[in-house]
Amino acid sequence: MQYLQRKLISNGSSLKLVNQVGTFLTSSILLDAGQPTPSTHPQLLKEGEITPGITCDEYISRRKRLLEFLPAQSVAIVAAAPVKMMTDVVPYTFRQDADYLYITGCQQPGGVAVLGHDFGLCMFMPEPSPHDITWQGQVAGVDVATGFFKANQSFPISQLHKVLPNMIKSCSKLYHNVKTAIPTYTELEAFQKAAYNGRVDDLSLYTHEARLVKSSAELNLMRESAAIGCQALLQTMLHSKVSPYESILSAKVEYECRIRGAQRMAFNPVVGGGPNGSVIHYSRNDQKVKDGDLVLMDIGSELHGYVSDLTRTWPPCGSFSDVHKELYDLILETNKECIELCKPGTSIQRVHNYSVDKLSRGLKEIGILKDNRLHSYHQLNPTSIGHYLGMDVHDCSKIGYDRTLKPGVVITIEPGVYIPTNFDCAQRYRGIGIRIEDEVLITESGYEVLTGSLPKEINHIETLLNNHNYGVGAETSNISASGF
């Protein structure tokens, strides 16, 4: 490049042209890290970020914090998520393991990260063949591991059997991510000997502990992910009046999430029309919603490693029936009261206990429950009032629901009722499923509802559905959730 610049100058070319050529040549030889970087994707990442919104310094501090949780002279092994195949040559869409992503920032398969007090982060990186690169594109190697992901040291994955045994032999305790364990390291003699001697344990308890309280950068991504989910579900609610088909609504909400920047759905959308709404994790999404029936939609989007999770239930026809209103009011009241309980010092379990008492009394007053037995109530709602949320939908699953909530923890509040079609109650209530789910951030002074922009009041929902312009240009209507 310098030779070309000198040649241009000697030919009388302007300095502006020289700089343009230099910029072009520099950008054309940018290092391909196998994933977005600030130089290749300036629309996504700022300088100093390894993944959108999360800086190199934050990743380094995560590694140090995790090491603080681990006993002295211990070593932790975390393998990347495996590639899962749909057929012999067609892979499912790859999603990185949350623990591996949390400490490395690497969004690619094939790697193994090792964390130790003596050597920091060591990354063993895949070695793609020219054939692999031709078919799948470039992937990060050892240079990218130290240069971009800021690992303290890195080796080709082919050297793991030579390097890792010495790390294992010198440690007092060995931890690994059981979910992504691979024979590449579990079949090593050093690993098997450590396991035989009772020195191997699951790392998840420590990684989930580290991930439980979110940083300000993580919370910004979660707010944005929640906003995407809210906007997408709102547009889908509006679309439901003209296309009351589960499959179309599922496709619609995914489209709306993706065009707003989500990389994928956090899970397959639950779109339960009528009796299908009483199936908690209904996934077929292949039925037409009958006129007058409710549709329950549970959806979530994923944005740069952080997910949303929200549910709304509404009548695509535009009007709740009296029976639906009776049950919906009970669920909505429970949702609001449980959110009010969210503050530092409480726990998901305490909020859950309140919800069970509230809903069981309400369902008995309505006449659906005939006794106060928990068994009878659990037939109508076997779920918890909520769960932790973050990089996974059921985030930090090793942390019990009796844990005292702290500022920076995000949970869901999702009361519901799911009445089977054969339940022993009045016919008019059978086959009704209603859930109202919000994301709640615990703050220093109480809570922040991350999904608060999405309507859930009956009159707000009916007003939106019945006053929306369903003609040409309906998709660009200026009706928004923030109007309420």
Side-chain angles (χ1 to χ4, degrees), residues 102-336:
Y102 185 77
I103 63 172
T104 68
C106 181
Q107 300 168 328
Q108 303 159 60
V112 175
V114 183
L115 200 61
H117 293 276
D118 295 334
F119 51 81
L121 176 66
C122 176
M123 295 179 70
F124 293 90
M125 305 303 287
E127 303 165 274
S129 67
H131 177 272
D132 295 331
I133 295 173
T134 297
W135 285 89
Q136 301 166 18
Q138 187 61 264
V139 297
V142 291
D143 292 338
V144 174
T146 53
F148 182 62
F149 298 122
K150 303 303 180 184
N152 299 95
Q153 52 184 309
S154 61
F155 299 92
I157 195 73
S158 62
Q159 297 298 307
L160 183 139
H161 71 287
K162 295 180 180 179
V163 179
L164 185 58
N166 291 327
M167 295 175 169
I168 293 176
K169 289 175 184 177
S170 62
C171 74
S172 60
K173 186 77 174 180
L174 181 62
Y175 297 91
H176 73 129
N177 186 338
V178 175
K179 289 193 308 178
T180 60
I182 54 175
T184 307
Y185 72 82
T186 60
E187 292 183 355
L188 293 175
E189 182 182 354
F191 183 93
Q192 294 186 345
K193 185 176 180 180
Y196 179 79
N197 293 327
R199 291 168 46 222
V200 177
D201 210 340
D202 188 0
L203 179 66
S204 297
L205 181 61
Y206 294 105
T207 54
H208 290 192
E209 194 74 47
R211 285 165 41 194
L212 182 61
V213 176
K214 275 62 178 177
S215 69
S216 59
E218 290 179 295
L219 291 176
N220 286 338
L221 287 170
M222 292 197 69
R223 288 187 181 96
E224 191 173 350
S225 183
I228 288 171
C230 286
Q231 293 164 19
L233 188 48
L234 173 64
Q235 292 301 320
T236 305
M237 292 171 71
L238 296 173
H239 193 71
S240 67
K241 194 165 188 178
V242 294
S243 297
Y245 295 87
E246 293 171 351
S247 61
I248 293 177
L249 300 183
S250 179
K252 173 68 172 175
V253 78
E254 181 166 359
Y255 166 77
E256 295 292 344
C257 285
R258 294 294 290 268
I259 65 170
R260 288 171 170 79
Q263 283 74 53
R264 61 179 66 86
M265 300 305 289
F267 51 89
N268 186 56
V270 173
V271 190
N276 294 334
S278 65
V279 180
I280 298 171
H281 282 172
Y282 175 76
S283 62
R284 286 175 54 180
N285 300 345
D286 60 3
Q287 186 58 276
K288 180 180 180 181
V289 183
K290 295 179 181 178
D291 190 43
D293 276 352
L294 299 174
V295 61
L296 183 157
M297 280 197 70
D298 184 357
I299 69 105
S301 62
E302 181 173 339
L303 180 72
H304 306 312
Y306 291 84
V307 302
S308 58
D309 186 10
L310 54 150
T311 307
R312 290 294 185 266
T313 309
W314 74 95
C317 67
S319 298
F320 287 84
S321 70
D322 290 340
V323 172
H324 293 154
K325 285 181 180 178
E326 186 178 25
L327 282 170
Y328 190 95
D329 281 338
L330 173 62
I331 303 303
L332 180 60
E333 192 173 279
T334 305
N335 170 275
K336 291 178 178 179

Side-chain angles (χ1 to χ4, degrees), residues 38-91:
S39 56
T40 61
H41 292 70
Q43 74 277 16
L44 287 181
L45 292 90
K46 298 176 182 177
E47 284 299 324
E49 292 180 345
I50 291 181
T51 57
I54 309 295
T55 65
C56 171
D57 289 342
E58 180 154 340
Y59 277 104
I60 292 174
S61 68
R62 288 175 177 183
R63 300 161 193 169
K64 291 180 179 178
R65 185 162 181 257
L66 183 54
L67 283 172
E68 290 173 358
F69 283 121
L70 297 177
Q73 294 184 312
S74 61
V75 167
I77 304 172
V78 185
V83 174
K84 298 179 181 179
M85 302 303 292
M86 186 182 302
T87 69
D88 57 345
V89 296
V90 180

